[in-house]
Amino acid sequence: MPGERTPFVTRRWWVLLALIVVVGFVGRAWNLDFDQGQHLHPDERHWSFTAAELARQPAPDPHGTALGPALDWLDGQRSPANPYRATPSFVYGPVMLTAARSAAGWMHSGVVDGDQPAAAVVDVLDAIGIPLIDGDGSPTFDNGYEFEIIGRLLAALLDTITILVVGLIGRRLSGPATGLVAAGFYASCVLAIQHAHFLGSEPLLGLCSALLVLATISID
């Protein structure tokens, strides 16, 4: 039938989309340590101060039940995800802060204690140019004040997924060519690349918004 997409055309579309996604990730992950740990961005500095104070908070007394860990997360006065345990003002939401600190703690244990697969992940990322290990083999980050580079990496990954979602939205609305053009435009969007170089909530918000649009237009 005219206009029918063959398996070859479909595979070629996915290959082209994958290339756009890879190029977009390179742009977002390039020179993540642009300020060399100086915390030049005021919002990021506030995140780092908050993370450092959270890391210093004493662990809450255990509940003494099997559901204790879950109850700790749900209790605002005890939850490690609650930034207000460390600061009177945090207007960015706790999700990215918690995700970045958790990833940083996991990866830090990989470098310091050799825990796998965290150690392998850090080695691969360092090998491709993201400076996570210094010259003497020590981590350049932690899950406190120095966690911003892990947050930036997480932001780059989230925004890279958004490129894929934007491509699927364009394809769903107007066909394969539109999907590739849309993905290409977003992959090269200067503002998106800038946001992906900072630890913040914008990349997560953008991804969630794109997923919501895709889910909405996919409802038959």
Side-chain angles (χ1 to χ4, degrees):
M1 294 178 60
E4 183 178 358
R5 292 194 294 271
T6 65
F8 172 75
V9 172
T10 300
R11 286 195 297 270
R12 183 174 62 180
W13 186 86
W14 281 107
V15 169
L16 291 173
L17 180 61
L19 289 174
I20 293 172
V21 169
V22 169
V23 171
F25 174 71
V26 170
R28 284 154 175 77
W30 189 271
N31 195 24
L32 283 181
D33 192 25
F34 58 87
D35 59 349
Q36 298 179 336
Q38 297 302 307
H39 297 86
L40 298 180
H41 193 288
D43 287 349
E44 271 194 334
R45 194 182 310 117
H46 179 59
W47 284 57
S48 291
F49 283 138
T50 302
E53 186 60 33
L54 282 171
R56 287 192 290 266
Q57 293 290 318
D61 295 331
H63 279 94
T65 65
L67 295 178
L71 294 175
D72 282 344
W73 282 90
L74 296 174
D75 184 346
Q77 299 302 315
R78 303 162 61 92
S79 175
N82 180 13
Y84 289 101
R85 294 177 61 236
T87 179
S89 176
F90 195 83
V91 298
Y92 312 94
V95 177
M96 276 294 289
L97 177 70
T98 303
R101 289 191 64 236
S102 298
W106 178 71
M107 294 167 70
H108 189 271
S109 67
V111 180
V112 174
D113 301 323
D115 294 347
Q116 295 291 355
V121 170
V122 174
D123 287 340
V124 169
L125 292 173
D126 189 74
I128 65 175
I130 300 173
L132 300 181
I133 304 175
D134 62 19
D136 63 1
S138 301
T140 61
F141 63 93
D142 55 29
N143 70 336
Y145 187 70
E146 302 293 344
F147 84 127
E148 80 283 348
I149 194 168
I150 303 301
R152 293 173 183 178
L153 177 61
L154 184 60
L157 291 170
L158 291 173
D159 206 55
T160 300
I161 299 173
T162 304
I163 300 172
L164 171 64
V165 178
V166 168
L168 295 175
I169 291 172
R171 182 181 185 182
R172 179 78 178 185
L173 291 175
S174 299
T178 301
L180 293 177
V181 171
F185 277 141
Y186 188 77
S188 59
C189 177
V190 174
L191 185 60
I193 294 173
Q194 176 180 311
H195 281 315
H197 273 76
F198 293 109
L199 168 58
S201 57
E202 291 85 357
L204 177 62
L205 177 61
L207 175 59
C208 291
S209 300
L211 288 171
L212 178 61
V213 172
L214 180 61
T216 301
I217 65 176
S218 298
I219 297 175
D220 294 326

